[in-house]
Amino acid sequence: MLAIAKDTRFRCRPKFSEVLSENHRLVIAVSHASPLSWLPAIALLCAHTAARGGRDRKPMGVMDKFFFSLPGLKQLATHLTQTERALGFREILESFTRGDGTDLVVFPEGSNCFFGDPSVLQPFRSPRFVELAIEADVPILVCAHRGSEKWGKAIEIDSDWLKSLDYLPKVVFDFLAARLKKSGLFTLPVWPAPMDRFDMLCELVPLELKTDDLSSDPAVRREQITKESERIRARMQALLDELDGDAARAVESAELGRDVVQDKSAPGVGADS
């Protein structure tokens, strides 16, 4: 992590060692920030997993099917997910539950990170990771982080340019059009510069639903899962807010410390000189 961050901080509730020892499988849901912010997030998670006895755990990734459709990006997607194509829900569930020690790592905002301010938590691309956790009967470790927001630059897209989207190849149109027209922003990845600090806060969130609680009616089931997903997103936002509060207090403390030093170096009021 030293190459991409001068300082890191990792916290987990409960202790990360307890989370790993008491849960043979986890769904790990991580906030996104910039399109490249998964790099320090995964690096820090892997480092702390290994340091706390989890070297034998196997991370399993999921990526948007768009990334499997373009040369170059397909190789990256294949390397990160260890699959040649985007898997369906049942295939992911079967692979995830096949043995102990597998952690499914998801970034629920997905490719929505390309269409908003990196400092703002974007809508979840899909709630189905929650459905998977319910069916696998595992808790979700929610992870939020701050520090890498400058690795992406949100650019406002001119309304006249948006009209030209209709002429793009279908695979690109399907990825861009609706979300770009809705947000008016496109976040470009920026060459990663070393961060002063990368801070991650995690919390184990047990699910309120079990498989038997899910309705056989597809519409009702979808509503149940969406509601549970919104609860997970609210926890992720709360963790981000906590990180922001910690950062603000750190700045205030540093400023107060400078003021104290300045006061000590200056002659006191009424003091002999």
Side-chain angles (χ1 to χ4, degrees), residues 63-76:
M63 292 187 74
D64 194 298
K65 62 182 180 181
F66 168 78
F67 296 100
F68 287 91
S69 64
L70 294 178
L73 291 180
K74 181 178 180 179
Q75 283 81 352
L76 175 64

Side-chain angles (χ1 to χ4, degrees), residues 120-138:
V120 177
L121 183 65
Q122 301 303 316
F124 284 179
R125 186 85 165 111
S126 169
R128 298 210 73 185
F129 74 97
V130 173
E131 183 179 8
L132 190 144
I134 293 171
E135 292 208 21
D137 193 25
V138 298

Side-chain angles (χ1 to χ4, degrees), residues 106-268:
V106 298
F107 290 78
E109 298 156 271
S111 53
N112 283 339
C113 68
F114 283 93
F115 304 96
D117 186 330
S119 66
V120 177
L121 183 65
Q122 301 303 316
F124 284 179
R125 186 85 165 111
S126 169
R128 298 210 73 185
F129 74 97
V130 173
E131 183 179 8
L132 190 144
I134 293 171
E135 292 208 21
D137 193 25
V138 298
I140 295 179
L141 183 68
V142 180
C143 303
H145 54 83
R146 288 297 195 201
S148 63
E149 290 75 22
K150 291 183 179 179
W151 285 17
K153 182 175 179 58
I155 299 173
E156 291 189 18
I157 304 300
D158 187 270
S159 57
D160 291 335
W161 188 87
L162 291 174
K163 298 174 183 176
S164 65
L165 292 175
D166 296 336
Y167 301 100
L168 292 172
K170 185 178 186 304
V171 64
V172 181
F173 177 86
D174 291 344
F175 180 76
L176 287 174
R179 289 179 288 174
L180 199 54
K181 289 178 179 178
K182 182 178 180 180
S183 71
L185 294 175
F186 186 75
T187 300
L188 286 173
V190 174
W191 185 260
M195 296 170 277
D196 289 332
R197 183 184 181 93
F198 187 73
D199 200 348
M200 179 175 281
L201 179 59
C202 306
E203 182 176 281
L204 190 67
V205 180
L207 293 167
E208 295 182 349
L209 293 174
K210 299 291 185 182
T211 304
D212 291 343
D213 297 325
L214 296 176
S215 173
S216 59
D217 183 305
V220 176
R221 181 187 179 100
R222 192 160 48 245
E223 184 178 346
Q224 289 176 302
I225 293 166
T226 298
K227 184 177 180 181
E228 188 75 336
S229 173
E230 290 170 351
R231 188 175 70 88
I232 297 299
R233 187 179 183 278
R235 288 308 311 149
M236 187 175 286
Q237 182 63 64
L239 295 178
L240 287 169
D241 292 342
E242 186 173 339
L243 288 171
D244 290 340
D246 291 344
R249 285 188 290 274
V251 171
E252 291 174 1
S253 178
E255 291 177 347
L256 179 61
R258 284 195 294 269
D259 290 342
V260 169
V261 170
Q262 290 173 356
D263 288 345
K264 287 183 177 180
S265 63

Side-chain angles (χ1 to χ4, degrees), residues 1-10 40 44 146-147 194-200:
M1 285 295 292
L2 290 177
I4 54 179
K6 299 174 184 176
D7 185 27
T8 63
R9 187 184 187 194
F10 181 91
L44 194 61
R146 288 297 195 201
M195 296 170 277
D196 289 332
R197 183 184 181 93
F198 187 73
D199 200 348
M200 179 175 281

